[in-house]
Amino acid sequence: MNIQNTKNKPLNSRGSAIFKKMLEDKKAIHEHLQKGGKLTDLKDKYNFATPLSLTGKR
C-alpha cells in the first residue's frame, strides 16, 4: 500500500471518543454492581439506552 493512497484521518475521532466513554462507563457500572450497589442508584448518573422495538413504533 502506498502512502499516497491512504487517507489522512485524525487519530482521535468522535466515534472513538464515544466508544472510549462507553467502555469507561461500563467499567464503573460493573465495579459498582460488584461492590453490592444497585442499578437504581446509578439511574441519575448514567443515561441507560432503551431498546428499540422491532417494528420501529413505540
Side-chain angles (χ1 to χ4, degrees):
M1 178 182 281
N2 292 338
I3 295 174
Q4 296 171 345
N5 292 338
T6 60
K7 293 183 179 179
N8 292 331
K9 293 184 180 180
L11 296 176
N12 295 325
S13 67
R14 185 171 185 237
S16 66
I18 292 171
F19 186 67
K20 183 178 177 183
K21 175 71 171 136
M22 287 171 52
L23 289 177
E24 290 172 357
D25 289 350
K26 181 182 178 211
K27 183 178 178 183
I29 292 168
H30 179 74
E31 288 175 358
H32 177 76
L33 294 176
Q34 288 293 319
K35 292 178 181 176
K38 296 181 181 180
L39 281 177
T40 54
D41 300 337
L42 299 174
K43 69 179 180 179
D44 294 331
K45 187 174 182 180
Y46 297 100
N47 293 325
F48 292 104
T50 55
L52 298 173
S53 66
L54 296 176
T55 59
K57 298 178 184 176
R58 289 189 173 240

PDB file of all heavy atoms in Angstrom, residues 7-28:
ATOM      1  N   LYS A   7      -5.800   7.659   3.277  1.00  0.00           N
ATOM      2  CA  LYS A   7      -6.477   8.898   3.642  1.00  0.00           C
ATOM      3  C   LYS A   7      -5.933   9.401   4.959  1.00  0.00           C
ATOM      4  O   LYS A   7      -5.607   8.610   5.848  1.00  0.00           O
ATOM      5  CB  LYS A   7      -7.980   8.675   3.773  1.00  0.00           C
ATOM      6  CG  LYS A   7      -8.659   8.350   2.482  1.00  0.00           C
ATOM      7  CD  LYS A   7     -10.148   8.206   2.682  1.00  0.00           C
ATOM      8  CE  LYS A   7     -10.837   7.899   1.378  1.00  0.00           C
ATOM      9  NZ  LYS A   7     -12.292   7.744   1.565  1.00  0.00           N
ATOM     10  N   ASN A   8      -5.847  10.681   5.089  1.00  0.00           N
ATOM     11  CA  ASN A   8      -5.430  11.273   6.354  1.00  0.00           C
ATOM     12  C   ASN A   8      -6.637  11.351   7.277  1.00  0.00           C
ATOM     13  O   ASN A   8      -7.602  12.034   6.988  1.00  0.00           O
ATOM     14  CB  ASN A   8      -4.849  12.673   6.139  1.00  0.00           C
ATOM     15  CG  ASN A   8      -3.540  12.617   5.405  1.00  0.00           C
ATOM     16  OD1 ASN A   8      -2.813  11.644   5.515  1.00  0.00           O
ATOM     17  ND2 ASN A   8      -3.234  13.657   4.645  1.00  0.00           N
ATOM     18  N   LYS A   9      -6.574  10.624   8.368  1.00  0.00           N
ATOM     19  CA  LYS A   9      -7.660  10.623   9.337  1.00  0.00           C
ATOM     20  C   LYS A   9      -7.110  11.102  10.668  1.00  0.00           C
ATOM     21  O   LYS A   9      -5.984  10.779  11.025  1.00  0.00           O
ATOM     22  CB  LYS A   9      -8.236   9.209   9.518  1.00  0.00           C
ATOM     23  CG  LYS A   9      -8.949   8.685   8.312  1.00  0.00           C
ATOM     24  CD  LYS A   9      -9.554   7.335   8.621  1.00  0.00           C
ATOM     25  CE  LYS A   9     -10.275   6.778   7.415  1.00  0.00           C
ATOM     26  NZ  LYS A   9     -10.861   5.468   7.697  1.00  0.00           N
ATOM     27  N   PRO A  10      -7.906  11.847  11.403  1.00  0.00           N
ATOM     28  CA  PRO A  10      -7.439  12.237  12.740  1.00  0.00           C
ATOM     29  C   PRO A  10      -7.339  10.998  13.630  1.00  0.00           C
ATOM     30  O   PRO A  10      -8.123  10.061  13.505  1.00  0.00           O
ATOM     31  CB  PRO A  10      -8.516  13.192  13.234  1.00  0.00           C
ATOM     32  CG  PRO A  10      -9.715  12.909  12.401  1.00  0.00           C
ATOM     33  CD  PRO A  10      -9.210  12.391  11.087  1.00  0.00           C
ATOM     34  N   LEU A  11      -6.374  10.984  14.499  1.00  0.00           N
ATOM     35  CA  LEU A  11      -6.168   9.822  15.357  1.00  0.00           C
ATOM     36  C   LEU A  11      -7.267   9.681  16.398  1.00  0.00           C
ATOM     37  O   LEU A  11      -7.596   8.580  16.815  1.00  0.00           O
ATOM     38  CB  LEU A  11      -4.809   9.917  16.041  1.00  0.00           C
ATOM     39  CG  LEU A  11      -3.609   9.865  15.100  1.00  0.00           C
ATOM     40  CD1 LEU A  11      -2.320  10.058  15.885  1.00  0.00           C
ATOM     41  CD2 LEU A  11      -3.573   8.542  14.356  1.00  0.00           C
ATOM     42  N   ASN A  12      -7.839  10.771  16.841  1.00  0.00           N
ATOM     43  CA  ASN A  12      -8.895  10.739  17.851  1.00  0.00           C
ATOM     44  C   ASN A  12     -10.202  11.187  17.210  1.00  0.00           C
ATOM     45  O   ASN A  12     -10.557  12.356  17.261  1.00  0.00           O
ATOM     46  CB  ASN A  12      -8.550  11.638  19.031  1.00  0.00           C
ATOM     47  CG  ASN A  12      -7.327  11.140  19.762  1.00  0.00           C
ATOM     48  OD1 ASN A  12      -7.113   9.949  19.862  1.00  0.00           O
ATOM     49  ND2 ASN A  12      -6.521  12.045  20.270  1.00  0.00           N
ATOM     50  N   SER A  13     -10.928  10.262  16.627  1.00  0.00           N
ATOM     51  CA  SER A  13     -12.192  10.603  16.003  1.00  0.00           C
ATOM     52  C   SER A  13     -13.283  10.712  17.066  1.00  0.00           C
ATOM     53  O   SER A  13     -13.126  10.256  18.202  1.00  0.00           O
ATOM     54  CB  SER A  13     -12.587   9.553  14.965  1.00  0.00           C
ATOM     55  OG  SER A  13     -12.882   8.330  15.599  1.00  0.00           O
ATOM     56  N   ARG A  14     -14.387  11.304  16.690  1.00  0.00           N
ATOM     57  CA  ARG A  14     -15.509  11.456  17.616  1.00  0.00           C
ATOM     58  C   ARG A  14     -16.066  10.089  18.005  1.00  0.00           C
ATOM     59  O   ARG A  14     -16.441   9.857  19.156  1.00  0.00           O
ATOM     60  CB  ARG A  14     -16.594  12.308  16.966  1.00  0.00           C
ATOM     61  CG  ARG A  14     -17.735  12.602  17.899  1.00  0.00           C
ATOM     62  CD  ARG A  14     -18.673  13.625  17.312  1.00  0.00           C
ATOM     63  NE  ARG A  14     -19.694  13.970  18.272  1.00  0.00           N
ATOM     64  CZ  ARG A  14     -20.998  13.851  18.047  1.00  0.00           C
ATOM     65  NH1 ARG A  14     -21.421  13.463  16.865  1.00  0.00           N
ATOM     66  NH2 ARG A  14     -21.861  14.158  18.978  1.00  0.00           N
ATOM     67  N   GLY A  15     -16.110   9.178  17.047  1.00  0.00           N
ATOM     68  CA  GLY A  15     -16.611   7.830  17.325  1.00  0.00           C
ATOM     69  C   GLY A  15     -15.755   7.096  18.335  1.00  0.00           C
ATOM     70  O   GLY A  15     -16.265   6.411  19.212  1.00  0.00           O
ATOM     71  N   SER A  16     -14.448   7.260  18.228  1.00  0.00           N
ATOM     72  CA  SER A  16     -13.573   6.580  19.185  1.00  0.00           C
ATOM     73  C   SER A  16     -13.700   7.200  20.565  1.00  0.00           C
ATOM     74  O   SER A  16     -13.589   6.501  21.573  1.00  0.00           O
ATOM     75  CB  SER A  16     -12.123   6.603  18.714  1.00  0.00           C
ATOM     76  OG  SER A  16     -11.618   7.913  18.708  1.00  0.00           O
ATOM     77  N   ALA A  17     -13.942   8.496  20.634  1.00  0.00           N
ATOM     78  CA  ALA A  17     -14.136   9.148  21.931  1.00  0.00           C
ATOM     79  C   ALA A  17     -15.415   8.652  22.600  1.00  0.00           C
ATOM     80  O   ALA A  17     -15.430   8.399  23.810  1.00  0.00           O
ATOM     81  CB  ALA A  17     -14.175  10.662  21.758  1.00  0.00           C
ATOM     82  N   ILE A  18     -16.464   8.478  21.804  1.00  0.00           N
ATOM     83  CA  ILE A  18     -17.729   7.971  22.344  1.00  0.00           C
ATOM     84  C   ILE A  18     -17.551   6.536  22.821  1.00  0.00           C
ATOM     85  O   ILE A  18     -18.011   6.166  23.903  1.00  0.00           O
ATOM     86  CB  ILE A  18     -18.847   8.069  21.284  1.00  0.00           C
ATOM     87  CG1 ILE A  18     -19.177   9.541  21.019  1.00  0.00           C
ATOM     88  CG2 ILE A  18     -20.091   7.301  21.718  1.00  0.00           C
ATOM     89  CD1 ILE A  18     -20.100   9.758  19.848  1.00  0.00           C
ATOM     90  N   PHE A  19     -16.861   5.729  22.024  1.00  0.00           N
ATOM     91  CA  PHE A  19     -16.630   4.332  22.400  1.00  0.00           C
ATOM     92  C   PHE A  19     -15.796   4.238  23.669  1.00  0.00           C
ATOM     93  O   PHE A  19     -16.090   3.423  24.554  1.00  0.00           O
ATOM     94  CB  PHE A  19     -15.942   3.598  21.253  1.00  0.00           C
ATOM     95  CG  PHE A  19     -15.786   2.133  21.488  1.00  0.00           C
ATOM     96  CD1 PHE A  19     -16.887   1.296  21.537  1.00  0.00           C
ATOM     97  CD2 PHE A  19     -14.531   1.584  21.673  1.00  0.00           C
ATOM     98  CE1 PHE A  19     -16.743  -0.058  21.758  1.00  0.00           C
ATOM     99  CE2 PHE A  19     -14.373   0.235  21.896  1.00  0.00           C
ATOM    100  CZ  PHE A  19     -15.481  -0.594  21.939  1.00  0.00           C
ATOM    101  N   LYS A  20     -14.794   5.075  23.792  1.00  0.00           N
ATOM    102  CA  LYS A  20     -13.957   5.084  24.992  1.00  0.00           C
ATOM    103  C   LYS A  20     -14.785   5.446  26.218  1.00  0.00           C
ATOM    104  O   LYS A  20     -14.665   4.830  27.272  1.00  0.00           O
ATOM    105  CB  LYS A  20     -12.814   6.082  24.823  1.00  0.00           C
ATOM    106  CG  LYS A  20     -11.859   6.106  25.978  1.00  0.00           C
ATOM    107  CD  LYS A  20     -10.727   7.084  25.732  1.00  0.00           C
ATOM    108  CE  LYS A  20      -9.816   7.144  26.938  1.00  0.00           C
ATOM    109  NZ  LYS A  20      -8.745   8.120  26.773  1.00  0.00           N
ATOM    110  N   LYS A  21     -15.682   6.443  26.091  1.00  0.00           N
ATOM    111  CA  LYS A  21     -16.552   6.848  27.200  1.00  0.00           C
ATOM    112  C   LYS A  21     -17.496   5.712  27.575  1.00  0.00           C
ATOM    113  O   LYS A  21     -17.740   5.462  28.763  1.00  0.00           O
ATOM    114  CB  LYS A  21     -17.334   8.101  26.800  1.00  0.00           C
ATOM    115  CG  LYS A  21     -18.357   8.551  27.814  1.00  0.00           C
ATOM    116  CD  LYS A  21     -17.712   9.115  29.046  1.00  0.00           C
ATOM    117  CE  LYS A  21     -18.782   9.742  29.928  1.00  0.00           C
ATOM    118  NZ  LYS A  21     -18.641   9.413  31.313  1.00  0.00           N
ATOM    119  N   MET A  22     -18.012   4.992  26.577  1.00  0.00           N
ATOM    120  CA  MET A  22     -18.898   3.861  26.851  1.00  0.00           C
ATOM    121  C   MET A  22     -18.176   2.783  27.643  1.00  0.00           C
ATOM    122  O   MET A  22     -18.732   2.218  28.590  1.00  0.00           O
ATOM    123  CB  MET A  22     -19.433   3.275  25.543  1.00  0.00           C
ATOM    124  CG  MET A  22     -20.457   4.123  24.848  1.00  0.00           C
ATOM    125  SD  MET A  22     -20.892   3.540  23.205  1.00  0.00           S
ATOM    126  CE  MET A  22     -21.299   1.846  23.481  1.00  0.00           C
ATOM    127  N   LEU A  23     -16.925   2.499  27.276  1.00  0.00           N
ATOM    128  CA  LEU A  23     -16.161   1.484  27.996  1.00  0.00           C
ATOM    129  C   LEU A  23     -15.862   1.922  29.430  1.00  0.00           C
ATOM    130  O   LEU A  23     -15.921   1.112  30.358  1.00  0.00           O
ATOM    131  CB  LEU A  23     -14.862   1.174  27.262  1.00  0.00           C
ATOM    132  CG  LEU A  23     -15.015   0.417  25.953  1.00  0.00           C
ATOM    133  CD1 LEU A  23     -13.656   0.248  25.283  1.00  0.00           C
ATOM    134  CD2 LEU A  23     -15.677  -0.919  26.174  1.00  0.00           C
ATOM    135  N   GLU A  24     -15.563   3.213  29.622  1.00  0.00           N
ATOM    136  CA  GLU A  24     -15.317   3.720  30.977  1.00  0.00           C
ATOM    137  C   GLU A  24     -16.574   3.616  31.830  1.00  0.00           C
ATOM    138  O   GLU A  24     -16.513   3.219  32.995  1.00  0.00           O
ATOM    139  CB  GLU A  24     -14.850   5.167  30.908  1.00  0.00           C
ATOM    140  CG  GLU A  24     -13.459   5.337  30.341  1.00  0.00           C
ATOM    141  CD  GLU A  24     -13.098   6.792  30.094  1.00  0.00           C
ATOM    142  OE1 GLU A  24     -13.952   7.687  30.314  1.00  0.00           O
ATOM    143  OE2 GLU A  24     -11.966   7.043  29.685  1.00  0.00           O
ATOM    144  N   ASP A  25     -17.732   3.973  31.244  1.00  0.00           N
ATOM    145  CA  ASP A  25     -18.996   3.877  31.971  1.00  0.00           C
ATOM    146  C   ASP A  25     -19.315   2.427  32.318  1.00  0.00           C
ATOM    147  O   ASP A  25     -19.768   2.128  33.430  1.00  0.00           O
ATOM    148  CB  ASP A  25     -20.138   4.472  31.150  1.00  0.00           C
ATOM    149  CG  ASP A  25     -20.063   5.984  31.035  1.00  0.00           C
ATOM    150  OD1 ASP A  25     -19.239   6.591  31.746  1.00  0.00           O
ATOM    151  OD2 ASP A  25     -20.814   6.550  30.224  1.00  0.00           O
ATOM    152  N   LYS A  26     -19.077   1.528  31.363  1.00  0.00           N
ATOM    153  CA  LYS A  26     -19.348   0.108  31.603  1.00  0.00           C
ATOM    154  C   LYS A  26     -18.506  -0.405  32.759  1.00  0.00           C
ATOM    155  O   LYS A  26     -19.000  -1.137  33.629  1.00  0.00           O
ATOM    156  CB  LYS A  26     -19.066  -0.692  30.340  1.00  0.00           C
ATOM    157  CG  LYS A  26     -19.334  -2.165  30.502  1.00  0.00           C
ATOM    158  CD  LYS A  26     -18.990  -2.934  29.260  1.00  0.00           C
ATOM    159  CE  LYS A  26     -19.245  -4.405  29.552  1.00  0.00           C
ATOM    160  NZ  LYS A  26     -18.383  -5.264  28.829  1.00  0.00           N
ATOM    161  N   LYS A  27     -17.255  -0.024  32.789  1.00  0.00           N
ATOM    162  CA  LYS A  27     -16.353  -0.464  33.860  1.00  0.00           C
ATOM    163  C   LYS A  27     -16.816   0.079  35.211  1.00  0.00           C
ATOM    164  O   LYS A  27     -16.847  -0.639  36.208  1.00  0.00           O
ATOM    165  CB  LYS A  27     -14.927  -0.004  33.568  1.00  0.00           C
ATOM    166  CG  LYS A  27     -13.925  -0.480  34.583  1.00  0.00           C
ATOM    167  CD  LYS A  27     -12.519  -0.047  34.216  1.00  0.00           C
ATOM    168  CE  LYS A  27     -11.532  -0.500  35.272  1.00  0.00           C
ATOM    169  NZ  LYS A  27     -10.183  -0.048  34.996  1.00  0.00           N
ATOM    170  N   ALA A  28     -17.208   1.358  35.250  1.00  0.00           N
ATOM    171  CA  ALA A  28     -17.668   1.968  36.501  1.00  0.00           C
ATOM    172  C   ALA A  28     -18.952   1.304  36.996  1.00  0.00           C
ATOM    173  O   ALA A  28     -19.099   1.033  38.193  1.00  0.00           O
ATOM    174  CB  ALA A  28     -17.884   3.460  36.299  1.00  0.00           C
TER     175      ALA A  28
END
